[in-house]
Structures are given as C-alpha cells and as structure tokens.
C-alpha cells in the first residue's frame, strides 16, 4: 500500500450526529476485520474501515489505525504513518495516542 493511500484526510461535516454514527459503525466493522470477530480476519479491510472512520474524526479509529501500523498488525509496519494517526487521535485528547507518539516518533506529514 502506498503511503499516500494510507493518509486519511478529514471529511467536511454537515450533520455531526450522523457522521459520528457512521464513524462508529465503520470502527466496529474495522475491529471485526482486524480481529476476525464474526468474519474472516482481513487487515486490509480493517485499514480501509479505520481510515474512513478516521476521516470522519473518530479518535478511537485513528488510534487503532496507528496501532496497526506501529505494530505491523497484518500490514507492513510504518512508524511514520502510525505517528500520523496517533497525532490525529492525540489532538482529540487521546492519552494513549499521546504516549504512543513518544514511541514511534514524527508523523509522515502534519495531520
């Protein structure tokens, strides 16, 4: 996967409740694909769902996507991309993401 495909860009919001619900649904699907919970484990589909939820501003999806890249969980490990998503989550107050940033270093680009 190209790094440029992995970087999620923030979506513009018109109805924040609908977007939050959509992001939560995408995050739930992503977790299922990441862990093989009720579906066949598929890290690529997990990344796709987490990325979409990240675009919608879901901090948990941003953290989880950072975690997948930081740990190489079914995908190629990439600390710079992991840092990008941890930065996104930490800007929303995610303390674990802030701690992970100290482990992985600087992001590939500024979120």
């Amino acid at each position: 996967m190209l790094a440029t495909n992995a970087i999620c860009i923030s979506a513009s919001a018109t109805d924040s409740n609908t977007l939050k619900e959509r992001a939560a649904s995408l995050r739930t699907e992503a977790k299922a694909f990441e862990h093989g919970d009720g579906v066949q484990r598929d890290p690529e589909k997990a990344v796709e769902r987490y990325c979409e939820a990240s675009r919608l501003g879901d901090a948990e999806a941003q953290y989880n996507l950072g975690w997948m890249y930081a740990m190489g969980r079914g995908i190629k490990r990439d600390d710079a991309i992991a840092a990008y998503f941890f930065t996104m989550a930490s800007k929303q107050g995610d303390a674990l993401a802030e701690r992970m940033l100290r482990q992985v270093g600087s992001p590939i680009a500024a979120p």
Side-chain angles (χ1 to χ4, degrees), residues 21-43:
E21 290 170 7
R22 177 71 179 138
S25 175
L26 286 164
R27 179 178 14 91
T28 300
E29 288 177 31
K31 282 183 183 180
F33 283 119
E34 180 184 1
H35 300 286
D37 187 15
V39 295
Q40 184 172 343
R41 188 170 182 272
D42 190 333

Side-chain angles (χ1 to χ4, degrees), residues 13-21:
T14 54
D15 182 0
S16 63
N17 285 336
T18 302
L19 292 178
K20 286 179 184 179
E21 290 170 7

Side-chain angles (χ1 to χ4, degrees), residues 56-80:
L56 297 174
D58 189 274
E60 186 177 343
Q62 293 162 352
Y63 176 85
N64 291 348
L65 190 50
W67 180 264
M68 287 185 74
Y69 277 103
M71 299 299 137
R73 186 166 168 78
I75 57 176
K76 184 180 178 202
R77 181 180 173 153
D78 190 320
D79 285 350

Side-chain angles (χ1 to χ4, degrees), residues 41-111:
R41 188 170 182 272
D42 190 333
E44 288 184 23
K45 286 184 180 178
V47 167
E48 290 171 7
R49 292 342 184 260
Y50 281 141
C51 193
E52 280 296 315
S54 293
R55 285 185 186 123
L56 297 174
D58 189 274
E60 186 177 343
Q62 293 162 352
Y63 176 85
N64 291 348
L65 190 50
W67 180 264
M68 287 185 74
Y69 277 103
M71 299 299 137
R73 186 166 168 78
I75 57 176
K76 184 180 178 202
R77 181 180 173 153
D78 190 320
D79 285 350
I81 293 175
Y84 179 88
F85 292 106
F86 288 142
T87 299
M88 290 176 75
S90 71
K91 284 183 177 183
Q92 295 190 68
D94 189 304
L96 291 175
E98 182 68 34
R99 187 169 48 172
M100 287 303 296
L101 272 172
R102 291 190 292 272
Q103 302 297 317
V104 297
S106 300
I108 190 168

